[in-house]
Amino acid sequence: MGTPFYLRLLVIELGDFTIRSETPLAEVLWFVGGLLLLVLLSTAVLWWNRRAQKDPFI
């Protein structure tokens, strides 16, 4: 059983369509590494500030 005619009207033919990455893998890895470093440093600062302050409710 084929595709109904009304669905074929909604399809756009793109021809020979390929996706090529324009961004080198090394740049993506540097970005991910920098993002991970930012998350780790932010977590460390928040943890350090939480430990440095006395809890007023103790």
Side-chain angles (χ1 to χ4, degrees):
M1 185 167 227
T3 307
F5 179 71
Y6 62 89
L7 286 179
R8 289 185 197 168
L9 294 175
L10 300 175
V11 174
I12 299 172
E13 182 68 35
L14 296 176
D16 186 23
F17 183 74
T18 57
I19 297 176
R20 291 185 309 254
S21 177
E22 296 294 330
T23 306
L25 181 61
E27 288 186 19
V28 173
L29 292 177
W30 274 110
F31 175 75
V32 170
L35 199 60
L36 182 62
L37 181 65
L38 180 65
V39 167
L40 289 174
L41 288 176
S42 298
T43 304
V45 167
L46 290 173
W47 175 78
W48 188 267
N49 282 340
R50 189 174 52 103
R51 284 196 56 180
Q53 295 175 0
K54 299 270 185 190
D55 191 356
F57 299 107
I58 292 181

